[in-house]
């Protein structure tokens, strides 16, 4: 009778886990999160030939099961609490010794394991031959040699898995000898644990004792809280004392640590097995593989950085050049939709809500979709090929100074490190960073970069007030963004994200040609996550922003004033037209009329905006923002800029009663600002700084919340960035005033 | 002649056998779980543009390590 059961897929990062998972489950995947953490949980269904439906959970890639990183805690807790029927332990045949370290820990835990000896074809090419049957005998675990990439051996692997799952055996932990000191301590601690039934419902006594000796923070904490609940503080004390005693002893006698002894013995166990004729090398082990040859050039001390710059620029151009066309399609689609409802619906709030609020808001957000798709396709190529790890390797020395990680460079560049990126994919790209504090510091500072939406605003300000050296000013602002992002990152790492740097012990995986299937799945996942967000949270926020800029509407008395003006003008022109017509001359009066009517329309819109909630907010903020030189019009524009930075221009246009300003042709706005005596270089520079560094747009904030795993970080970035930008703008503005600069 | 030096002092292309890893905690664990335990043979594959981090060949794979992390590792070289 076919049944359904759950298995886990586990292994080191770079073992080919994702490739195997994609091959087994194809499109039948579900991506979620493990409760309470930002680690992705991927599940999928595999229907076996015998009709069993196998639920496969893809555990995060880890090197160990000791709880240091979130990934390790998640993987271990899943095995212990969900008890999958089988664990497929995917290992790299060409790097077997290191990959068996994790295998040892599955065996010690006791969970039924089937080893998938992946990349057997690569190993063969490298002249490594493995006696699979012999290894299986020695480890007492079924092993199947596979190539997840070509599909070789995968069917057989699943047949073996099904067989093991059907046997449904009890967990049988394997005992590895750790030498006199450790083994003696384990025995003593086991007695204690068993006599008091200390956590024995969850863990086996030997495993628990071993984790104590490995100084596993999660287990020790669990022991503490269990002791508290069951009045067994003495047992917990006793266990911890024993660990301390052993620690002191081995430090004094052998200058080492219990956890080091455990690791050494695990590798000793692996070596003792592999030495029994399991692996033979046909070629010299130190032979340079193709991958090493590529690295000689690509990570060369001189050529490396040049090639890296070229690759990053290439990625950038690929994304922002090729996504232009689909972005324009989407824009015209939403433009068409807006036009359609514009004609269909009568004037009023419903029309305004639908056209400006919903279609405008969601359309603006959906406009990012092609950029995200292209960007993640590019990143997937860099990641799957192994190049991203090299970038981290080369950049680490610089970024470490600021408390970041070599991998932070990607997020910065995507966000606009080369002016014109976008912080949304930038924040999402921090997922490739595995160091939690460095990752947080990166994702909180990446929005400081000059994204594509800030550019038109900056360009207008520069064009109006610094027209003599536009290119230099723009370049200076790009540099400034980097300096500020790095310094703020350092500040965060010294304060709210304080902590030791995460070790950089990292693998440089061999270069591989990415598979199209892998790239497609990777890209689609990211894009879909984004679209889902756009459809829910962002829709709500669009409506909210529309409401603040629309309500309360102008009182009827004021509307009447504008209405009267309109009628007056129309009437006077009708009269004029009649006269001219009688005289027989044809003058394009209607054009002049349209112009004047538009002016009234714009004045009314400006007045309405001033009267709205956003306008009131803008005016009440004047009491603070005058310090930085901003009046209420600028304030409203900045409030609007929270929806999307490019909105700053159109809102400023409306506030100056110019009608909505087309982003591409800010001509009249530029003239108005240049002619306005309240504007000068100091105010323009102050505004440029504020726009660069104040709160990220709300799409980015939503992404920060999602990536950081808590709305608090979203709120933090809004508040912190705005206060920071305000302080910066105010000091610069006041300093300029003081020095008499600006005019 | 066999002598003991710190990993940081090794030249590019030089190989040796790890003699001791004198650090506990997260860093020690990361170093050991990647296979850098006493008795393992390593070879310096290269250094990043600013001479830090360093890339090593360990058990058929390539690992990277910052110089200040490599300072806990003592190596026996010929």
């Amino acid at each position: 009778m076919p049944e359904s059961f759950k298995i886990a897929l586990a292994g080191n990062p770079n073992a080919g886990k994702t490739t195997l998972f994609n091959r087994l489950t194809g499109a039948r995947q579900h991506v979620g999160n493990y409760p309470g953490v930002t680690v992705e949980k991927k599940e999928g269904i595999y229907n076996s030939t015998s009709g069993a439906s196998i639920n496969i959970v893809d555990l995060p890639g880890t090197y160990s099961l000791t709880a240091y990183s979130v990934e390790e805690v998640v993987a271990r807790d899943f095995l212990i609490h969900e008890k999958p029927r089988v664990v497929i332990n995917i290992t790299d045949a060409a790097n077997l010794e290191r990959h068996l370290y994790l295998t040892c820990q599955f065996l010690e835990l006791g969970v039924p394991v089937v080893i998938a000896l992946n990349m057997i074809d690569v190993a063969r090419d490298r002249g490594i031959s493995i006696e699979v049957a012999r290894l299986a005998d020695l480890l007492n675990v079924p092993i199947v040699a596979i190539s997840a990439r070509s599909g070789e051996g995968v069917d057989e692997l699943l047949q073996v898995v099904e067989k093991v799952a059907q046997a449904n055996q009890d967990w049988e932990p394997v005992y590895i000898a750790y030498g006199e000191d450790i083994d003696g301590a384990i025995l003593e601690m086991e007695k204690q644990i068993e006599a008091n039934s200390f956590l024995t419902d969850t863990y086996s006594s030997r495993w628990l004792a071993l984790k104590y000796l490995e100084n596993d923070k999660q287990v020790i904490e669990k022991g503490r809280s269990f002791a508290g609940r069951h009045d067994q503080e003495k047992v917990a004390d006793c266990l911890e004392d024993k660990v301390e005693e052993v620690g002191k002893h081995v430090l004094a006698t052998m200058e080492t640590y219990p956890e080091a002894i455990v690791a050494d013995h695990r590798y000793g166990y692996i070596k003792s097995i592999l030495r029994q004729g399991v692996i033979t090398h046909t070629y010299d082990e130190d032979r340079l593989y193709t991958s090493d040859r590529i690295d000689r050039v690509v990570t060369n001390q001189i050529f490396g950085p040049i090639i890296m710059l070229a690759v990053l620029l290439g990625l950038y151009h690929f994304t922002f050049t090729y996504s232009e066309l689909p972005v324009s399609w989407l824009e015209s689609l939403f433009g068409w939709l807006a036009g359609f409802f514009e004609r269909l619906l009568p004037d009023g709030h419903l029309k305004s809500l639908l056209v400006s609020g919903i279609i405008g808001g969601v359309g603006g957000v959906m406009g990012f979709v092609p950029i995200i798709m292209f960007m993640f396709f590019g990143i997937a190529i860099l990641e799957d090929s192994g190049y991203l790890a090299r970038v981290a390797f080369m950049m680490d020395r610089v970024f470490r100074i600021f408390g970041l990680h070599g991998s932070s460079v990607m997020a910065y560049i995507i966000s606009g490190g080369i002016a014109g990126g976008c912080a949304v994919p930038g924040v999402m790209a921090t997922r490739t960073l595995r160091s939690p504090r460095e990752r947080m510091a990166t994702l909180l500072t990446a929005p400081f970069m000059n994204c594509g939406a800030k550019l038109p605003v900056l360009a207008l300000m520069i064009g109006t007030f610094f027209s003599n050296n536009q290119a230099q000013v723009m370049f200076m602002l790009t540099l400034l963004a980097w300096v500020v992002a790095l310094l703020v990152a350092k500040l965060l790492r010294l304060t709210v994200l304080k902590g030791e740097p995460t070790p950089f012990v990292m693998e440089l995986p061999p270069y591989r040609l990415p598979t199209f299937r892998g790239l497609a799945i990777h890209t689609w996942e990211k894009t879909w996550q984004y679209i889902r967000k756009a459809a829910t949270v962002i829709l709500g926020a669009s409506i909210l922003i529309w409401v603040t800029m629309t309500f309360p509407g102008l009182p009827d008395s004021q509307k009447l004033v504008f209405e009267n003006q309109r009628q007056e003008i129309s009437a006077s022109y009708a009269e004029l037209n009649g006269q001219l017509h009688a005289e027989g001359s044809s003058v394009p009066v209607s054009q002049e009329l349209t112009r004047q009517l538009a002016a009234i329309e714009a004045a009314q819109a400006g007045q309405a905006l001033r009267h709205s909630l956003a306008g009131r907010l803008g005016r009440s903020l004047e009491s603070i923002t005058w310090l930085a030189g901003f009046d209420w019009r600028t304030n409203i524009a900045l409030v609007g800029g929270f929806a999307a930075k490019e909105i700053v221009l159109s809102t400023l246009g409306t506030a100056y009663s110019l009608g909505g300003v087309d982003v591409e042709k800010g001509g009249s706005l530029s003239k108005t600002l240049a002619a306005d005596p309240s504007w000068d270089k100091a105010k323009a520079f102050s505004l440029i700084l504020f726009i660069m560094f104040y709160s990220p747009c709300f799409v980015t904030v939503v992404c920060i919340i999602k990536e950081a795993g808590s709305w608090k970080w979203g709120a933090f970035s809004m508040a912190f960035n705005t206060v920071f930008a305000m302080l910066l703008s105010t000091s610069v503005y006041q300093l300029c005033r003081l020095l008499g600069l600006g005019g | 002649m066999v002598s003991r030096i710190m990993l940081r002092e090794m030249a590019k292309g030089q190989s040796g056998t790890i003699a001791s890893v004198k650090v506990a905690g997260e860093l020690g664990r990361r170093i050991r779980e990647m296979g850098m335990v006493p008795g393992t043979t390593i070879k310096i594959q290269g250094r990043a543009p600013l001479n830090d981090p360093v890339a090593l060949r360990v058990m058929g794979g390539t690992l990277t390590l910052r110089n200040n992390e490599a300072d806990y590792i003592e190596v026996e070289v010929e």
Side-chain angles (χ1 to χ4, degrees), chain A residues 441 444-445 488-498 716 720:
Chain A
L444 288 174
T445 50
V488 171
K490 182 75 187 171
L491 177 74
L492 293 176
R493 289 286 278 115
L494 289 174
T495 53
V496 282
L497 296 169
K498 198 154 66 180
F716 174 84
F720 175 82

Side-chain angles (χ1 to χ4, degrees), chain A residues 656-737:
Chain A
Y656 271 97
S657 302
L658 297 169
V661 173
D662 195 330
V663 173
E664 304 298 322
K665 324 167 205 153
S668 59
L669 180 60
S670 175
K671 275 183 216 139
T672 310
L673 296 185
D676 188 332
S678 76
W679 279 85
D680 57 13
K681 280 193 174 143
K683 179 171 173 181
F685 190 52
S686 164
L687 181 62
I688 286 175
L689 290 179
F690 195 79
I691 287 171
M692 279 172 72
F693 302 125
Y694 86 117
S695 168
C697 68
F698 80 87
V699 186
T700 307
V701 172
V702 169
C703 283
I704 289 178
I705 293 172
K706 162 117 177 84
E707 293 301 323
S710 155
W711 63 268
K712 283 181 198 149
W713 285 114
F716 174 84
S717 84
M718 285 162 62
F720 175 82
N721 291 16
T722 306
V723 170
F724 173 77
M726 193 62 213
L727 289 176
L728 191 66
S729 289
T730 303
S731 13
V732 168
Y733 183 71
Q734 294 301 336
L735 196 69
C736 286
R737 276 284 110 93

